[in-house]
Amino acid sequence: MTSYHSHLTVLEQSAALYPSAFAFRVPISDPLTGRVHDWLPISYQQFKEDVEVTARHWCGVFRAQGIPHGSVIGLWLSGIDYQDVLHIYGISRAGYVPQLFSIRLPNPDVVHELLREANARALIFASEFAASTASFSVPVYPAVHKRDMGVNSATLPPLASSAEGNDVVFIFHTSGSTSGRPKLVPCNRRWLHSVVDKARITTAPQDPQRWDVTVTIGSMCHIGQNFMLIGSLQHGTCTVQATKQGFSSEELLDMIQRCGLNRLNQFSTFLSIHLRNSRQNPKLLQALRHLDQVLYSGLPLDRDDEDWAYTNGLKMKNLFGSTECGAMLLSIGGTSRDARFLRPLPGTSYKFVPIDRDPDSEDTHQSSIQLLELVILAESGDCPDTSLRTDDGHFHTGDLFQETTPGAYVFRGRNDDWIKSESSLRCDTKAIEDNVRSTCGDLIGECIVVGTGRPSPALFVEPAAGVDHERLQREILRKTRAFHSRRYLHERITRKELVIIVPPKSLPRTSTKGNVRRKAVEELYKARLDDIYSSLN
């Protein structure tokens, strides 16, 4: 047997090394205004003890139900609160396997199906899902607060010092739906050990003489925040829990001033808001300049925003990753001309495989550059579960790159029809288009789905001759309602404003095959889309 590091061994070691250091700063908000009036500090020792209290609680509950250690336990939570972290780590510490559901997947039928597919033995749910889970075939339990758990003397299992590398320790889900629901992403001990190593490198302090303070990048029910927390814990870093994923520039300044935040982690869409605000707010720009690092992920940063950041001396880092692998590539950083280029994280085993050029591609660069698909080799510790690999035994990401200098790359999009939302969650555009064509084929001439970096997708439709536009919007929503009800919130089209009717044959097309060009539609109608999404906020 081999010894593997995990989030639990990291917490154990860090609580011993940094017992009194702050692991978290948790917002205390005014219930009327929602404004944060204090950031409650929680030490590493307190975090470890809180995890163990939570673990003992669930140990007692599940032992009473005869649920053996090693069983899968579902958690349907926001993943934003400190209490959610305790439930996730506590279930692991109690000897069970957390299966993590995002509240962005609100369909109980899909959650129930995924629980059964994973052979889960129970579900812990956030209060808003009480009615939705009442008829589930597995035992369901409310996510009680630690203060309401009482004293429990249940004995915790020992931390596994050695184990089988293929033992599953987490189950995530793909961030987009395939065939009507997400796919399971089982994560084993070997994979988690690799994540611990990669996270340590990614979050290493820029100044070893100071304690870093960073901020949550998203929900603990997704891999991004799990990855960043595992890294932060290894360095005794304090993680400030923002009130929401897209927190305001005012809240960012408050975290810098009152919590000492010196490292900003955000998905590109949300970071762009701060960068644009800094153009009119010298105080915000000065604060961003003084950060040790501004790390962004999920989507390429808008080129104007990226240029503004580098021109104004912000210390930028681009982290490229996925649910299946965690972080994979990190930009070089600094101020040289190659600062933006991406390189694989040390200790990984990747290959960049040339793909055939598509003469009908809407990417004008494809005709002059060689595109490479990122492939995670089977021998790489972070290669996902065999159920997600192709027949050659490797994991083909579908992500395309151009090699700029030996070993350095720039992202050039994807080799499929998936786009990413503002939260870096994926959406299968072709599945939506196919559903519209199959249910509304007599009403439409052509359609295309766009929405890169948006909260949800939008559907552009060229109508069939003589169809009333308002009636067409209503009919499309009615006929596709069942399809969208099973999907994540960020994949759904449920508002008529997001069904955009344009004249027949008006959408831009490729020159040879006549396919509608997704990127060109997004660029051509950018101002209109900006107005629509702004009106829906």
Side-chain angles (χ1 to χ4, degrees):
M1 292 224 181
T2 308
S3 180
Y4 293 99
H5 293 303
S6 72
H7 56 307
L8 297 178
T9 62
V10 166
L11 175 56
E12 191 83 6
Q13 294 164 0
S14 296
L17 286 171
Y18 323 111
S20 59
F22 295 164
F24 293 95
R25 294 291 293 268
V26 178
I28 307 298
S29 301
D30 186 297
L32 296 177
T33 66
R35 294 183 65 86
V36 177
H37 61 77
D38 199 7
W39 298 91
L40 178 70
I42 297 170
S43 71
Y44 272 78
Q45 183 62 36
Q46 184 65 56
F47 177 37
K48 175 177 177 287
E49 291 173 1
D50 289 348
V51 167
E52 290 175 349
V53 167
T54 308
R56 288 191 181 92
H57 169 79
W58 291 118
C59 259
V61 170
F62 296 142
R63 283 174 186 168
Q65 291 291 321
I67 299 175
H69 285 130
S71 297
V72 175
I73 305 295
L75 296 105
W76 198 5
L77 310 167
S78 73
I80 297 298
D81 299 332
Y82 174 67
Q83 187 64 49
D84 295 339
V85 183
L86 297 184
H87 284 306
I88 294 166
Y89 272 52
I91 289 296
S92 281
R93 185 64 187 88
Y96 299 93
V97 177
Q99 180 183 8
L100 301 176
F101 295 96
S102 166
I103 61 172
R104 296 194 65 81
L105 182 62
N107 187 308
D109 293 336
V110 175
V111 171
H112 195 203
E113 290 170 17
L114 292 168
L115 285 168
R116 287 187 295 184
E117 186 176 347
N119 196 27
R121 298 293 300 273
L123 173 72
I124 299 167
F125 62 87
S127 58
E128 59 260 44
F129 300 121
S132 302
T133 58
S135 61
F136 277 21
S137 61
V138 298
V140 296
Y141 304 93
V144 295
H145 196 281
K146 182 180 70 72
R147 64 174 173 262
D148 299 321
M149 289 178 177
V151 178
N152 191 308
S153 58
T155 303
L156 297 178
L159 284 178
S161 57
S162 60
E164 294 292 342
N166 290 327
D167 290 346
V168 174
V169 289
F170 275 109
I171 298 176
F172 292 95
H173 300 91
T174 54
S175 65
S177 302
T178 303
S179 300
R181 69 183 189 193
K183 294 167 67 175
L184 300 181
V185 181
C187 304
N188 62 31
R189 291 189 184 278
R190 176 173 173 264
W191 179 93
L192 185 55
H193 180 87
S194 171
V195 161
V196 171
D197 287 344
K198 293 191 299 180
R200 182 183 66 254
I201 294 166
T202 303
T203 58
Q206 304 303 296
D207 180 357
Q209 301 303 312
R210 70 180 291 178
W211 294 96
D212 274 349
V213 179
T214 189
V215 62
T216 50
I217 197 170
S219 167
M220 281 289 291
C221 293
H222 299 290
I223 187 59
Q225 180 52 32
N226 265 278
F227 182 94
M228 298 307 292
L229 181 59
I230 287 172
S232 294
L233 293 177
Q234 293 180 76
H235 299 292
T237 297
C238 174
T239 299
V240 183
Q241 289 198 310
T243 57
K244 60 181 180 179
Q245 188 174 35
F247 52 83
S248 67
S249 296
E250 290 74 21
E251 185 168 316
L252 172 59
L253 283 171
D254 191 36
M255 290 188 281
I256 292 172
Q257 292 162 359
R258 289 204 282 172
C259 301
L261 186 140
N262 69 308
R263 295 181 73 151
L264 175 60
N265 307 321
Q266 277 204 294
F267 290 118
S268 305
T269 311
F270 302 120
L271 175 60
S272 283
I273 295 171
H274 303 310
L275 294 177
R276 290 166 191 170
N277 289 342
S278 73
R279 300 182 188 215
Q280 282 81 43
N281 186 336
K283 183 179 178 182
L284 176 60
L285 176 59
Q286 189 71 0
L288 290 171
R289 278 179 178 151
H290 279 89
L291 295 176
D292 282 0
Q293 188 179 87
V294 178
L295 183 144
Y296 65 94
S297 189
L299 288 162
L301 196 60
D302 180 89
R303 190 56 189 256
D304 287 344
D305 293 334
E306 189 178 36
D307 289 344
W308 166 265
Y310 278 107
T311 301
N312 284 275
L314 274 65
K315 305 173 186 70
M316 305 291 287
K317 278 277 191 174
N318 180 9
L319 182 66
F320 186 91
S322 71
T323 297
E324 294 85 354
C325 303
M328 296 177 281
L329 311 173
L330 188 64
S331 66
I332 294 168
T335 56
S336 65
R337 60 178 294 276
D338 60 356
R340 311 177 197 206
F341 298 161
L342 295 159
R343 293 185 300 198
L345 285 165
T348 56
S349 184
Y350 301 159
K351 189 174 183 180
F352 290 84
V353 180
I355 67 162
D356 294 333
R357 294 181 176 89
D358 181 358
D360 202 43
S361 170
E362 62 180 290
D363 189 337
T364 56
H365 295 286
Q366 277 208 32
S367 59
S368 59
I369 64 172
Q370 177 63 68
L371 294 179
L372 311 168
E373 183 191 13
L374 172 59
V375 177
I376 313 302
L377 301 180
E379 59 265 30
S380 195
D382 57 351
C383 191
D385 186 77
T386 53
S387 63
L388 299 166
R389 305 182 194 181
T390 49
D391 291 341
D392 62 7
H394 308 307
F395 178 68
H396 290 250
T397 65
D399 295 308
L400 302 180
F401 296 85
Q402 175 192 359
E403 188 170 24
T404 51
T405 57
Y409 304 87
V410 292
F411 179 61
R412 290 296 187 196
R414 288 190 54 80
N415 196 25
D416 55 24
D417 292 298
W418 292 78
I419 60 173
K420 283 189 173 183
S421 71
E422 67 177 4
S423 302
S424 187
L425 304 174
R426 291 182 294 178
C427 172
D428 185 353
T429 58
K430 186 175 184 298
I432 300 174
E433 292 158 5
D434 288 348
N435 177 254
V436 172
R437 292 187 182 105
S438 67
T439 57
C440 310
D442 58 330
L443 300 174
I444 70 167
E446 187 54 276
C447 68
I448 190 88
V449 171
V450 302
T452 298
R454 305 288 189 174
S456 60
L459 174 72
F460 280 82
V461 175
E462 294 177 348
V467 176
D468 176 77
H469 289 189
E470 271 207 46
R471 174 176 169 263
L472 178 56
Q473 287 176 309
R474 291 195 303 270
E475 282 296 287
I476 289 174
L477 291 178
R478 184 181 67 82
K479 292 187 173 187
T480 61
R481 187 173 295 123
F483 169 82
H484 285 284
S485 70
R486 293 179 55 83
R487 300 168 71 81
Y488 283 106
L489 293 177
H490 71 274
E491 299 178 292
R492 297 180 179 185
I493 299 175
T494 58
R495 303 283 294 270
K496 74 179 183 67
E497 293 87 349
L498 294 173
V499 179
I500 302 163
I501 314 300
V502 296
K505 304 298 182 183
S506 65
L507 294 173
R509 285 165 163 80
T510 55
S511 57
T512 56
K513 297 178 186 175
N515 297 327
V516 178
R517 299 166 56 208
R518 194 182 318 282
K519 187 186 295 185
V521 171
E522 212 141 19
E523 292 171 352
L524 180 63
Y525 290 96
K526 181 181 182 302
R528 186 170 176 182
L529 287 167
D530 287 345
D531 290 342
I532 290 170
Y533 285 105
S534 295
S535 71
L536 296 178
N537 284 343

